[in-house]
């Protein structure tokens, strides 16, 4: 006959905390990457860009308006032009539509930036729990 003693060390909180930290860190990196890609796609030039391509900006205003924020509690990130800087023109460019009584064809810049980075996000997130 033999005796067996089992001791359980519950690491659930530690793993959950590590996952939350990794998610927040990775969301921040993803949002910053999308912001950078977006800014790089917007060209400073006079006149409109071709429909279907990122909009042009005079005086760099649209480039400066691209911001991001990560909400740790809801595990979400928001990336896009700040309305207090460029008003509703960002939505008119991205989706097309009317702005200041003019019809704008879609000149997406946010969705292409997201699409350009999707493949790298999965590889960056893999194995990130417990890192730095």
């Amino acid at each position: 006959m033999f005796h067996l003693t089992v001791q359980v060390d519950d690491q659930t909180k530690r793993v959950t905390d590590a996952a939350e930290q990794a998610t927040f860190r990775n969301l921040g990196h993803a949002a910053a990457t999308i912001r950078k890609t977006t800014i790089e796609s917007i060209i400073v030039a006079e006149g409109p860009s071709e429909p279907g391509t990122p909009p042009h900006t005079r005086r760099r205003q649209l480039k400066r308006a691209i911001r991001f924020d990560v909400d740790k509690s809801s595990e979400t990130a928001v990336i896009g032009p700040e309305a207090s800087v460029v008003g509703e023109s960002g939505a008119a460019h991205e989706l097309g539509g009317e702005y200041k009584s003019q019809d704008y064809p879609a000149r997406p810049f946010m969705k292409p930036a997201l699409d350009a980075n999707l493949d790298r996000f999965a590889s960056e997130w893999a194995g990130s729990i417990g890192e730095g």
Side-chain angles (χ1 to χ4, degrees):
M1 180 190 267
F2 66 93
H3 292 277
L4 179 64
T5 303
V6 176
Q7 182 178 354
V8 177
D9 187 12
D10 185 2
Q11 296 289 319
T12 305
K13 172 120 173 71
R14 185 173 173 206
V15 171
T16 301
D17 288 349
E20 287 173 1
Q21 288 174 353
T23 297
F24 182 71
R25 182 177 58 249
N26 289 328
L27 274 174
H29 288 162
T33 300
I34 293 167
R35 177 183 181 268
K36 182 177 188 259
T37 302
T38 300
I39 290 169
E40 289 171 350
S41 76
I42 299 168
I43 297 169
V44 178
E46 291 293 323
S49 64
E50 291 295 318
T53 65
H56 288 167
T57 185
R58 297 178 302 233
R59 303 183 313 267
R60 305 178 60 84
Q61 188 171 0
L62 183 57
K63 286 181 176 247
R64 287 192 306 264
I66 306 299
R67 304 275 201 276
F68 75 91
D69 186 43
V70 179
D71 184 347
K72 192 171 189 173
S73 65
S74 65
E75 297 181 349
T76 59
V78 177
I79 311 111
E82 190 170 22
S84 66
V85 178
V86 294
E88 296 175 14
S89 67
H93 282 302
E94 181 74 20
L95 305 171
E98 191 171 305
Y99 176 68
K100 291 189 176 183
S101 300
Q102 288 187 311
D103 191 37
Y104 280 72
R107 291 183 173 90
F109 54 104
M110 296 306 307
K111 175 121 176 29
L114 170 64
D115 291 345
N117 289 288
L118 282 176
D119 289 342
R120 82 181 263 196
F121 295 152
S123 64
E124 287 179 358
W125 286 42
S128 64
I129 294 177
E131 289 182 1

